Amino acid sequence: QVQVVESGGGSVQAGGSLRLSCIASGYTYRRNCMGWFRQAPGKEREGVASIDTLSESTYYADSVKGRFTISQDNAKNMVYLQMNSLKPEDAAMYYCAATNDGWYGGRWCPLRNGDEYNYWGQGTQVTVSS
C-alpha cells in the first residue's frame, strides 16, 4: 500500500524560506512522477512543481519559477520542495502526490492539475505573512 506523507510547513514572513519534505513508501514502480500541489481557501488546486523520478526532469508553475526547487533523494524515497522568497500569495495547503501514470504530451510528468496523481498526502499548511 502506497503512503505519501508531507512535512515541513509552517509560518514565515514574506521573503522567507521553507523546505517541504515528502516521503512515499510502498511504491514499487521504477518510474514515478512526484508532484507538489497547493490549494488556498476558495481557490482551485494548483500544480506547483513536478519531477520525473527516473530522468529527474522538473517542471514548475510560472508563479514559482526561480523561487521554488523540487528535488529528490531516491535512496530515501524523499522528495523536497525548497521555497525561497515566499510571498503572501504562496500561502496554501501544500500536498505531495505520486503517480506512475504521468506520460502526457510526449513527456513524463509535465505539471498539470493533478488529476493523473493517484496517491496523495494529507497536506501541510504554509502561511506567509506580509
Side-chain angles (χ1 to χ4, degrees):
Q1 182 178 358
V2 177
Q3 287 189 319
V4 178
V5 179
E6 314 93 337
S7 62
S11 296
V12 295
Q13 290 190 327
S17 298
L18 282 173
R19 188 175 84 152
L20 305 183
S21 299
C22 171
I23 184 165
S25 59
Y27 224 84
T28 59
Y29 294 100
R30 180 169 175 262
R31 184 174 214 156
N32 309 316
C33 302
M34 298 295 296
W36 286 97
F37 298 84
R38 67 187 181 188
Q39 189 166 20
K43 294 188 177 181
E44 292 187 355
R45 184 176 66 202
E46 175 189 18
V48 176
S50 60
I51 186 167
D52 173 353
T53 60
L54 183 61
S55 72
E56 299 195 56
S57 296
T58 58
Y59 303 90
Y60 296 93
D62 288 343
S63 58
V64 306
K65 281 180 182 176
R67 299 188 299 122
F68 291 12
T69 303
I70 188 171
S71 61
Q72 64 176 2
D73 183 336
N74 274 340
K76 298 179 180 178
N77 288 333
M78 297 287 293
V79 174
Y80 306 98
L81 185 69
Q82 178 67 42
M83 304 186 296
N84 298 329
S85 302
L86 281 161
K87 305 175 181 180
E89 52 263 42
D90 293 318
M93 185 72 78
Y94 281 70
Y95 299 90
C96 180
T99 183
N100 68 314
D101 187 23
W103 178 255
Y104 182 82
R107 297 177 295 171
W108 279 101
C109 314
L111 186 64
R112 298 162 64 196
N113 67 358
D115 287 348
E116 69 275 26
Y117 285 75
N118 44 9
Y119 299 103
W120 291 82
Q122 293 299 308
T124 185
Q125 183 69 46
V126 171
T127 303
V128 184
S129 58
S130 57

